[in-house]
Amino acid sequence: MNASALYSISYGLYVISAAGDGAINGQIANTVFQVTSEPKTIAVSINKQNFTHGLIRASGLFSVSVLTKDAPMPLIGLFGFRSGRDVAKFEKAEYFTAPGDVPVLRESCCGYLLCRVMQEIDVATHTVFIGEVTDADVFGKAEPMTYAYYHEVKKGTAPKSAPTYRENAAEVAAPKSGLYRCAVCGYVYDPAVGDPAHGVAPGTAFEALPADWKCPVCFAGKDRFVQV
Ligand code: FE
């Protein structure tokens, strides 16, 4: 079997959010698709270990925010590489609250869907939630992010909890040598670019970064980086 055929499947990139037991959270997912048009239903695959999984089961509601191409990597890192058990993600992002207390990420998104769970399908490590769309809107004309764009242009990878995780994706995302790559998320530190968002000027060598500098995508420590 040539399993690399799986990599030719196209996806978008979304933030799936839910509320339950007094908490709200959201997480990145690429596995969203429309199932039927009447009624309007969609499916999303969520890892059973993710915090959002429990919130969806508890409430029976979730939202899908469609990320745009210009979504910054720190935002993707916050929702994609950190757990809602450790960080209050929505304290760091612009959102609004839909009926049922469901949070909807607003920033860097071009639209959203609000869904009520109709059915769950147990698939080994993941649950596929089938949701009826109860509300939806578009925010503008910005282009949605595709999973291919995320990998090729944004140099992003998938965490181990993602259904589309690839063992060697970090190498794929770091074709140049002489750089440092985050072993957790695949972000590549390029000294020519630096990390201006966190006060690191272009031209700063990786070795010269402060000891408490963290990966701008997943917030892993400097010790998790390896030379490419
Ligand atoms: Fe990282």
Side-chain angles (χ1 to χ4, degrees):
M1 178 172 74
N2 185 353
S4 62
L6 290 165
Y7 305 155
S8 63
I9 297 174
S10 298
Y11 303 94
L13 207 63
Y14 312 92
V15 171
I16 312 303
S17 306
D21 297 333
I24 57 172
N25 194 52
Q27 64 147 79
I28 299 275
N30 60 288
T31 45
V32 172
F33 65 93
Q34 184 171 353
V35 183
T36 57
S37 59
E38 196 53 52
K40 295 176 178 56
T41 59
I42 60 156
V44 58
S45 177
I46 300 287
N47 189 297
K48 291 176 183 174
Q49 294 185 358
N50 289 1
F51 188 43
T52 305
H53 184 276
L55 299 182
I56 296 173
R57 290 200 103 177
S59 66
L61 300 170
F62 63 94
S63 70
V64 178
S65 293
V66 183
L67 288 165
T68 57
K69 274 186 174 178
D70 60 1
M73 284 304 282
L75 182 73
I76 295 171
L78 175 65
F79 281 93
F81 286 95
R82 302 198 73 186
S83 171
R85 296 183 181 93
D86 305 325
V87 61
K89 301 181 185 181
F90 280 112
E91 286 184 6
K92 302 170 185 289
E94 185 196 338
Y95 73 101
F96 65 91
T97 304
D101 295 329
V102 184
V104 180
L105 181 68
R106 177 64 184 83
E107 66 178 273
S108 300
C109 290
C110 55
Y112 82 98
L113 307 164
L114 186 64
C115 302
R116 181 181 55 79
V117 176
M118 298 173 67
Q119 195 177 336
E120 293 179 18
I121 302 166
D122 186 317
V123 188
T125 55
H126 286 64
T127 298
V128 176
F129 292 101
I130 310 290
E132 179 172 8
V133 180
T134 57
D135 198 6
D137 204 356
V138 293
F139 302 139
K141 292 184 177 172
E143 268 190 79
M145 177 96 78
T146 65
Y147 202 50
Y149 186 87
Y150 169 67
H151 282 285
E152 290 163 18
V153 181
K154 310 287 273 191
K155 305 298 182 194
T157 61
K160 282 191 175 173
S161 59
T164 48
Y165 172 70
R166 296 190 208 175
E167 195 72 42
N168 297 316
E171 280 73 16
V172 173
K176 292 197 283 183
S177 61
L179 312 171
Y180 280 80
R181 168 171 50 81
C182 175
V184 178
C185 75
Y187 163 84
V188 175
Y189 177 80
D190 183 347
V193 176
D195 181 14
H198 297 95
V200 177
T204 305
F206 182 82
E207 294 76 7
L209 290 170
D212 61 351
W213 179 83
K214 293 195 177 344
C215 172
V217 174
C218 74
F219 304 93
K222 202 177 162 184
D223 60 332
R224 302 302 306 274
F225 278 69
V226 291
Q227 193 162 16
V228 179

